[in-house]
Amino acid sequence: MSRFNLYQDEFHPSPWRQTWREFKRSHVAMAGVVVLAIFAFIAFFGPLISPYDPTLQNTDALLVPPSWDASGTVRYVMGTDALGRDLFSRLIHGAQVTFGTSVMLVLIAMLVGVAIGVMAGMSNGTRASVINHLLDALMVIPTLLLAIIIVAILGTGLVNSMWAITLALIPHFVHHTRNTVRELMNKEYILAARLDGASKTHIFVHSLLPNMIEMLVVQWTIALSVAILDITALGFLNLGAQGSTIELGAILADSVNVVYIAPWNIALPGLTIFAMVFAVNVVGDGLRAALNRRLRH
Amino acid sequence: MTKILLRYLNLLVLTLLVVIVFSFTLGYLFPGDVYTNLTGLESKAEALRYLKVDSDAGFFSLFIAYFSNTLVGQWGVSSITGEPLFSEVLLSLPATLELGFYALLLAVVVGLPCGFFAGLKPQRSLDMSILGASAVMYSFPVFWLAMVFILIFSLNLEWLPMSGRVDLLLNVPTVSGFIFVDILLADNIDKGHAFVDALKHLALPTLSVSIITMATLIRAVRRSTLDVMRKPYIIAAQSRGLSSAQIFLKHGMRNALLPILPIMAMQVTTLITNVMIVESLFSWPGMGHWLLQAIYQQDYPAIRTGLLAVAGAVIVLTIIIEVLSRLVDPSREKFDRVAV
């Protein structure tokens, strides 16, 4: 039995599906997704694929060049560092720590930031102005300075540098959430919900959040690239990951002394960080472009 | 206008106050004695004399004393060198600001034209290459970039020096803290030679800092040019028969530049962070270098002072840029919330 069709399309794609369709049109963005998927795989299964223990020191193989070099050996694909540790294994473990912690701390920063931002956006008067001034003051402290202060209070370590970066990222989320909430609160459907007697929580969950989620995803990718750069910078300056914790920035810091005789020890960790950040940025850009195109249709 | 300026003044004072309160609480949070952390003096009696309070002073009166000391530049002494911290900050803060200023200048000089070219012909090969280049530039870890520059230009090619601001043999006396001003003020040195030398020292740090800011700027300018060139008044200008150069110079460029200033104001913090990181690599005697030495030596009073100086500088710079953007752009909402 044939059904009566009012519309040509039987099926209306959801907003997410539309965005995904627009996103897929950009090949560069898809390549970024693949690279991110590889890093995510490394973050979960890294120790299984690394050929050596990253802390194992082989004194017979100090500063072996990478395998593509004439004097390199295939036993150490990416060469070894000044203590004879396999660089490939160290990069895998480092990428695991750097990528994993960055994702975690951006999630924490987003949760806290959105909560404060919604409070600041939905309230007005003294409470909003106190929150705003405190956040302004937090926003003018550069990340490095905040990290130095937190390290001075709590001591060095990966977790402490994570706190510093989380604290520095929170105002970023608060700022965008507050502006979006302010904008949305003037819409008619919010007014309708309020006239129907909806509580603030109800308005937030059913009216604000669905309209904010796309902005949050885009902001999340921006914050993720900032977080990766910051966490490696702190590791490099010996304020973050220490000693046995292998982190990409700390690997770079270990190799500074051999930069002239073994440049691959600097080049490869740096390129790994670069690939990670570049993939995140490309995916973020693609997402933003896809959202813009969808909204224009 | 007066009202807006007053609001910004209010913002400036309040944010500075919050920063001072924060630096005061650091005295309690840092390891060690509160009085030592607030003044840098080992003995409690000396610290109390420095703060001009009695030994039984409570939290609040201690803050008042600290606050008035901070306002008159009595920021305590370094617990390592024993020098007054205020004068140490006066020596290193100009170096940071100088590096940041030249990096910003380079970013603007390169970034604006690139952004305009990309935005005027969207989706063409020029736009695509500029956009791609800015995406690549935006993803570089700044410390790694600085290290690669040192490796290539200082160690392998030996073109440029890798540390400091000027050759120490030139013996340029420090007067203002800004190297070019100091060279101009100095007597009996070869000024031309000193200028070239200072420029050589400046080249690599400036380049490494400005790359990220440049990328941000290119993207912002491209976006806003794209938006502006779609506006009805551009179509009206086209229908009046203006050439595309006239349209761009008279209507496009100026309107496209308006949203850039607030974006630059947001970038000041990132810029200063990058300057501080790069300083430590090039041994540039600025705040970043100074603060990292302080944390490695656990000089807590110096870190407290660093917070005051750097956050203060960022606040003042941001508010200056914001006020400028209000002045050139009257279309911004009058009652838009002022924010740092």
Side-chain angles (χ1 to χ4, degrees):
Chain A
M1 199 182 88
S2 69
R3 255 171 55 200
F4 171 68
N5 273 345
L6 181 59
Y7 303 106
Q8 259 184 334
D9 297 325
E10 280 263 309
F11 164 74
H12 286 276
S14 69
W16 280 108
R17 205 173 277 268
Q18 287 175 23
T19 313
W20 174 239
R21 212 157 60 182
E22 292 290 343
F23 184 80
K24 270 196 299 191
R25 280 173 46 191
S26 164
H27 300 298
V28 185
M30 283 309 287
V33 170
V34 172
V35 174
L36 277 194
I38 294 173
F39 277 119
F41 179 80
I42 289 176
F44 280 110
F45 303 107
L48 297 178
I49 46 175
S50 78
Y52 293 92
D53 180 352
T55 52
L56 180 75
Q57 305 182 358
N58 183 355
T59 42
D60 297 332
L62 301 180
L63 295 172
V64 176
S67 52
W68 53 86
D69 192 274
S71 50
T73 151
V74 82
R75 284 184 57 220
Y76 297 102
V77 181
M78 293 189 175
T80 57
D81 67 1
L83 294 175
R85 295 175 292 196
D86 179 41
L87 194 58
F88 183 56
S89 311
R90 286 176 68 73
L91 285 186
I92 285 178
H93 280 82
Q96 180 187 24
V97 170
T98 306
F99 192 70
T101 47
S102 304
V103 169
M104 284 302 294
L105 69 88
V106 176
L107 276 178
I108 298 172
M110 186 166 77
L111 283 180
V112 179
V114 168
I116 301 176
V118 168
M119 271 199 282
M122 287 175 84
S123 65
N124 35 29
T126 328
R127 201 193 320 170
S129 116
V130 167
I131 296 177
N132 288 336
H133 278 298
L134 283 178
L135 284 169
D136 282 344
L138 197 56
M139 245 172 146
V140 296
I141 304 176
T143 325
L144 179 62
L145 186 58
L146 205 57
I148 288 177
I149 290 170
I150 290 190
V151 165
I153 297 172
L154 300 173
T156 51
L158 182 63
V159 179
N160 295 343
S161 71
M162 279 175 69
W163 282 123
I165 297 167
T166 314
L167 212 55
L169 285 176
I170 288 174
H172 172 89
F173 281 108
V174 174
H175 183 80
H176 286 280
T177 313
R178 187 180 56 198
N179 288 356
T180 316
V181 168
R182 280 272 164 81
E183 206 177 295
L184 291 175
M185 287 302 272
N186 295 327
K187 302 265 181 193
E188 267 105 19
Y189 53 80
I190 303 283
L191 186 66
R194 277 168 65 189
L195 287 176
D196 282 346
S199 68
K200 278 192 167 176
T201 339
H202 193 274
I203 290 180
F204 170 65
V205 173
H206 290 95
S207 310
L208 291 178
L209 200 56
N211 288 300
M212 264 177 14
I213 203 105
E214 287 167 345
M215 179 279 290
L216 286 179
V217 172
V218 171
Q219 288 305 322
W220 189 78
T221 60
I222 296 175
L224 183 60
S225 79
V226 173
I228 296 174
L229 288 177
D230 282 350
I231 213 163
T232 48
L234 294 183
F236 177 73
L237 295 171
N238 290 323
L239 297 175
Q242 300 278 316
S244 59
T245 325
I246 300 154
E247 193 269 335
L248 288 176
I251 298 178
L252 273 172
D254 284 349
S255 320
V256 172
N257 295 331
V258 293
V259 59
Y260 193 62
I261 47 170
W264 65 90
N265 268 316
I266 293 294
L268 293 173
L271 286 175
T272 314
I273 302 172
F274 171 74
M276 210 184 273
V277 178
F278 190 55
V280 172
N281 283 337
V282 162
V283 170
D285 281 355
L287 213 54
R288 215 169 346 168
L291 285 172
N292 280 339
R293 275 204 296 270
R294 199 200 83 205
L295 292 177
R296 224 184 292 152
H297 277 292
Chain B
M1 196 61 232
T2 336
K3 212 170 168 185
I4 295 178
L5 283 182
L6 276 179
R7 287 175 69 145
Y8 273 109
L9 194 66
N10 173 33
L11 182 73
L12 177 73
V13 171
L14 275 181
T15 321
L16 283 177
L17 186 68
V18 173
V19 168
I20 294 179
V21 172
F22 186 39
S23 79
F24 178 68
T25 33
L26 284 185
Y28 287 86
L29 292 173
F30 282 152
D33 183 48
V34 185
Y35 299 100
T36 313
N37 285 337
L38 289 181
T39 58
L41 296 164
E42 283 295 329
S43 81
K44 191 179 171 184
E46 273 183 71
L48 288 173
R49 209 176 312 129
Y50 193 86
L51 287 166
K52 302 182 204 75
V53 286
D54 303 326
S55 57
D56 55 349
F59 181 82
F60 194 69
S61 48
L62 195 60
F63 173 70
I64 297 289
Y66 174 74
F67 182 72
S68 45
N69 259 5
T70 305
L71 287 189
V72 296
Q74 298 264 30
W75 291 10
V77 299
S78 160
S79 59
I80 302 294
T81 61
E83 295 287 318
L85 286 166
F86 189 69
S87 52
E88 286 204 355
V89 165
L90 275 189
L91 277 181
S92 43
L93 192 61
T96 300
L97 296 180
E98 190 179 32
L99 187 53
F101 175 73
Y102 292 128
L104 193 61
L105 198 69
L106 183 65
V108 168
V109 167
V110 180
L112 282 189
C114 284
F116 285 137
F117 280 128
L120 284 175
K121 298 253 167 69
Q123 308 301 329
R124 300 279 190 79
S125 53
L126 181 67
D127 173 40
M128 281 321 193
S129 40
I130 290 179
L131 201 60
S134 80
V136 169
M137 276 150 58
Y138 190 66
S139 311
F140 279 125
V142 61
F143 53 96
W144 182 65
L145 198 64
M147 225 151 52
V148 171
F149 281 156
I150 290 179
L151 182 62
I152 296 174
F153 295 108
S154 302
L155 292 175
N156 282 334
L157 296 174
E158 295 185 2
W159 285 354
L160 296 165
M162 60 183 274
S163 74
R165 302 172 80 188
V166 70
D167 199 336
L168 289 176
L169 294 177
L170 281 170
N171 214 353
V172 179
T174 313
V175 182
S176 63
F178 297 96
I179 191 74
F180 288 113
V181 182
D182 280 355
I183 290 176
L184 273 183
L185 291 175
D187 307 319
N188 60 47
I189 59 165
D190 183 357
K191 284 188 184 163
H193 176 66
F195 254 100
V196 173
D197 194 60
L199 271 180
K200 274 187 179 173
H201 279 85
L202 199 61
L204 288 184
T206 313
L207 196 62
S208 2
V209 175
S210 70
I211 290 271
I212 305 236
T213 314
M214 204 186 287
T216 323
L217 198 64
I218 288 177
R219 292 154 80 90
V221 173
R222 176 184 176 272
R223 183 78 255 160
S224 95
T225 314
L226 265 178
D227 289 343
V228 164
M229 293 313 269
R230 283 203 202 107
K231 287 276 167 67
Y233 53 77
I234 297 291
I235 301 172
Q238 275 168 348
S239 61
R240 288 210 307 275
L242 297 184
S243 72
S244 37
Q246 276 175 317
I247 291 177
F248 175 65
L249 290 177
K250 275 195 163 167
H251 302 278
M253 191 172 80
R254 293 159 79 173
N255 283 304
L257 281 179
L258 286 182
I260 303 301
L261 270 179
I263 294 176
M264 288 326 319
M266 301 268 292
Q267 282 296 311
V268 171
T269 324
T270 322
L271 183 75
I272 296 285
T273 306
N274 285 336
V275 170
M276 293 188 357
I277 292 172
V278 167
E279 272 172 9
S280 72
L281 276 150
F282 286 96
S283 313
W284 188 269
M287 285 307 288
H289 189 64
W290 187 70
L291 273 171
L292 282 170
Q293 292 309 315
I295 182 73
Y296 296 148
Q297 297 168 342
Q298 307 196 323
D299 187 354
Y300 299 117
I303 296 168
R304 175 182 53 76
T305 325
L307 169 74
L308 281 175
V310 175
V314 173
I315 294 171
V316 172
L317 283 179
T318 315
I319 287 190
I320 288 176
I321 299 179
E322 274 283 319
V323 169
L324 273 182
S325 96
R326 293 278 168 143
L327 286 177
V328 297
D329 184 6
S331 67
R332 272 181 75 179
E333 248 188 276
K334 281 239 164 57
F335 299 101
D336 207 5
R337 200 185 79 80
V338 291
V340 172

